């Protein structure tokens, strides 16, 4: 098959790495790609917002299958437009992508099927939102209703923080994404990221992971798109996975089908594992980033047949094998991220770092300048490793990080701390 992968981040590098290993693939393109992806796929300079250009590329190059990485083109209906042109694509329709594109829409789905989630209010008016805050107090969670690149959430520990977050969103801090807000109760528990492939009727569980959203060690600092992850997530044992499928995933698929918008693609459930069981924090309609990187490292099966079954149906006949070895990824980000940061600094030592046992380096925000690799984003590298334990994977990842020469970057030094604390308690 000829496959086109859309996207340019670490998630797409991990997907490209896995797709390129499939015996089903004849040619693999990635648009627009990055410096790491360019070593395993041919990069095409396409604007993903220009659906006609993407369709034209597919027609000119005999592309059989398109895999959509990021959420923005999905929310803009690229899968619908490709389908109308007779091109098969992995990902949800525009209508189904509302599960990520609108927090309030997802809450309606939860209400219709009694899916456990945080209590909430939905507001278009700052005065009504502030009245809700005054009635409920802090801690409380403020979310931009629309797409905000994974950064549209503020966990406010005080009313002053909550009011500041509301003012920032309503004043355009997240553009149109914050024109409406959802205010949620603060849930106590342990977070987990759970992924399933869906074909409209069936859901195939993938694996669980745990992300680290805060910028700095000890879960301090601002929320980010994710500073590291590991898989599996110990909190998601077989019983918790079964409850999540029965109480959250399957009811969602039933409701989406009943509305005439069956969900196909990957569904990423952000969960809070509470004393009462799993509760849905939010849905994403694409692979998580950086969770995808650890999932792809652990996946022992060919990914492509499962992606095709998500489009064509028959996921109930697909079985995937997973390595028992945990995987862990450390995000190296540009100084200043998630705020302002500079682009263009030179990164050295990548070849040496890639030689560390069990390590795979995925590029997120990079570009090539001749033989040089330059930083070209906020999150720049995903240094990913597997090991017999999370502690071993962590040691290998940081050994590789320490071989990378990039003074203009930083990373957290405690990725995987919860799982390692569990491992130490079990010894």
């Amino acid at each position: 098959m000829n496959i086109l992968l859309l996207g340019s981040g670490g998630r797409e590098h991990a997907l490209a790495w896995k797709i390129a290993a499939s015996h089903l693939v004849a040619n693999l393109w990635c648009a627009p790609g990055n410096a790491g992806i360019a070593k395993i796929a041919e990069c095409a300079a396409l604007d993903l917002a220009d659906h006609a250009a993407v369709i034209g590329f597919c027609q000119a190059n005999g592309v059989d299958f398109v895999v959509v990485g990021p959420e923005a083109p999905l929310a803009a209906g690229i899968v619908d437009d490709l389908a109308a042109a007779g091109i098969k694509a992995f990902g949800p329709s525009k209508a189904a992508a509302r599960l990520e594109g609108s927090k309030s829409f997802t809450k309606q789905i939860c209400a219709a099927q009694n899916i456990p989630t945080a209590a909430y209010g939905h507001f278009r008016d700052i005065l009504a939102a502030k009245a809700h805050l005054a009635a409920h107090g802090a801690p409380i969670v403020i979310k931009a209703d629309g797409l905000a690149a994974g950064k549209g959430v503020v966990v406010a520990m005080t009313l002053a923080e909550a009011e500041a977050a509301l003012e920032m969103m309503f004043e355009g801090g997240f553009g149109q994404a914050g024109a409406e807000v959802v205010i949620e109760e603060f849930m106590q528990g342990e977070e987990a990221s759970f992924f399933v492939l869906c074909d409209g009727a069936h859901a195939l569980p993938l694996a669980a992971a745990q992300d680290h959203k805060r910028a700095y060690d000890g879960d301090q600092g601002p929320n980010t798109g994710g500073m590291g992850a590991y898989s599996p997530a110990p909190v998601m044992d077989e019983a918790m996975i079964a409850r999540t499928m029965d109480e959250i995933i399957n009811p969602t698929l039933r409701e989406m089908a009943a509305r005439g918008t069956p969900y196909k693609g990957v569904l990423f459930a952000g969960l809070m594992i509470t004393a009462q069981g799993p509760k849905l924090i939010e849905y994403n309609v694409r692979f998580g980033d950086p969770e995808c990187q650890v999932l792809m490292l652990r996946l022992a099966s060919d990914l492509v047949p499962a992606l095709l079954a998500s489009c064509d149906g028959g996921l109930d006949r697909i079985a995937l094998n997973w390595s028992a070895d945990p995987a862990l990824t450390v995000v190296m980000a540009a100084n200043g991220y998630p705020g302002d940061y500079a682009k263009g600094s030179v990164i050295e030592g990548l070849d040496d770092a890639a030689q560390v046992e069990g390590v795979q380096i995925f590029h997120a925000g990079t570009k090539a300048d001749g033989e040089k690799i330059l930083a070209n984003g906020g999150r720049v590298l995903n240094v990913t490793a597997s090991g017999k334990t999370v502690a071993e994977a962590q040691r290998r990842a940081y050994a590789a990080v320490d071989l990378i020469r990039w003074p203009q970057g930083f990373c957290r030094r405690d990725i995987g701390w919860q799982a390692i604390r569990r491992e130490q308690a079990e010894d």
Side-chain angles (χ1 to χ4, degrees):
M1 300 183 73
N2 292 333
I3 296 180
L4 171 65
L5 172 65
L6 301 183
S8 62
R11 164 183 50 224
E12 286 76 33
H13 191 180
L15 289 171
W17 176 75
K18 198 67 191 172
I19 291 168
S22 172
H23 70 282
L24 296 174
V25 178
N27 295 292
L28 176 62
W29 293 273
C30 186
N34 63 38
I37 294 171
K39 296 187 175 178
I40 53 174
E42 187 176 337
C43 292
L46 291 173
D47 176 0
L48 302 192
D50 187 345
H51 295 187
V54 175
I55 290 166
F57 180 90
C58 292
Q59 291 168 336
N61 291 279
V63 170
D64 302 297
F65 187 41
V66 178
V67 178
V68 186
E71 64 275 17
L74 293 168
I78 196 162
V79 169
D80 310 69
D81 291 344
L82 286 162
I87 300 162
K88 187 180 297 189
F90 173 82
S93 66
K94 181 176 182 176
R98 288 188 70 202
L99 282 173
E100 179 168 1
S102 170
K103 304 287 190 301
S104 55
F105 174 77
T106 294
K107 290 295 192 182
Q108 293 166 22
I109 297 292
C110 290
Q113 291 282 336
N114 295 315
I115 293 168
T117 188
Y120 78 105
H122 172 222
F123 302 94
R124 297 181 177 88
D125 166 6
I126 193 167
L127 294 178
K130 284 187 172 181
H132 182 88
L133 281 185
H136 288 82
I140 200 159
V141 180
I142 316 294
K143 295 182 175 181
D145 189 66
L147 294 179
K151 303 183 193 75
V153 178
V154 175
V155 180
M157 302 313 289
T158 66
L159 273 179
E161 281 181 65
E163 290 197 355
L166 277 180
E167 287 164 4
M168 177 269 291
M169 290 184 194
F170 278 115
E171 287 168 8
F174 293 120
Q176 272 302 109
E180 300 177 26
V181 302
V182 167
I183 302 178
E184 291 185 349
E185 70 168 316
F186 176 82
M187 293 190 290
Q188 295 278 5
E190 188 170 343
E191 286 193 46
S193 303
F194 184 64
F195 298 84
V196 293
L197 292 179
C198 307
D199 65 5
H202 309 102
L204 174 68
L206 299 179
Q210 211 147 32
D211 188 13
H212 300 63
K213 283 291 186 192
R214 300 281 187 161
Y216 310 127
D217 286 18
D219 292 326
Q220 299 298 306
N223 259 344
T224 70
M227 294 301 294
Y230 59 90
S231 177
V235 71
M236 291 299 291
D237 57 22
E238 286 188 19
M240 197 60 70
I241 288 171
R243 283 192 64 180
T244 300
M245 293 299 291
D246 290 344
E247 298 172 23
I248 297 175
I249 302 296
N250 290 327
T252 299
L253 289 191
R254 284 197 299 272
E255 184 64 21
M256 293 298 284
R259 289 172 178 237
T261 54
Y263 189 89
K264 297 184 177 186
V266 63
L267 189 58
F268 163 9
L271 303 175
M272 185 69 77
I273 309 305
T274 71
Q276 296 79 41
K279 292 189 177 184
L280 181 70
I281 300 172
E282 63 186 21
Y283 276 131
N284 294 318
V285 299
R286 34 70 188 183
F287 282 101
D289 189 346
E291 294 98 333
C292 184
Q293 290 81 314
V294 291
L295 295 189
M296 293 304 106
L297 205 61
R298 290 189 58 222
L299 180 59
S301 302
D302 189 338
L303 176 64
V304 174
L307 299 182
L308 288 167
S310 297
C311 300
D312 298 338
L315 265 181
D316 52 328
R317 297 189 295 275
I318 296 281
L320 295 175
N321 296 317
W322 298 87
S323 168
D325 288 355
L328 179 144
T329 190
V330 176
V331 171
M332 297 188 74
N335 290 340
Y337 175 81
D340 294 333
Y341 54 85
K343 295 182 180 181
S345 53
V346 177
I347 303 165
E348 297 178 311
L350 289 171
D351 290 343
D352 291 339
Q355 297 305 310
V356 175
E357 185 178 359
V359 165
Q360 187 71 38
I361 297 174
F362 297 117
H363 290 231
T366 64
K367 69 174 183 178
D369 179 13
E371 294 298 306
K372 294 178 182 174
I373 301 294
L374 306 181
N376 192 43
R379 294 186 297 168
V380 176
L381 296 169
N382 308 132
V383 182
T384 312
S386 59
K388 293 298 179 189
T389 62
V390 178
E392 182 176 57
Q394 187 199 57
R395 279 195 301 274
R396 289 173 171 179
Y398 283 115
V401 165
D402 291 338
L403 291 170
I404 295 171
R405 299 185 298 282
W406 181 38
Q408 296 83 3
F410 77 100
C411 66
R412 282 182 56 163
R413 304 294 306 196
D414 64 346
I415 301 301
W417 66 270
Q418 284 176 301
I420 290 168
R421 191 168 64 183
R422 274 194 174 92
E423 286 178 351
Q424 290 168 343
E426 290 166 3
D427 284 348

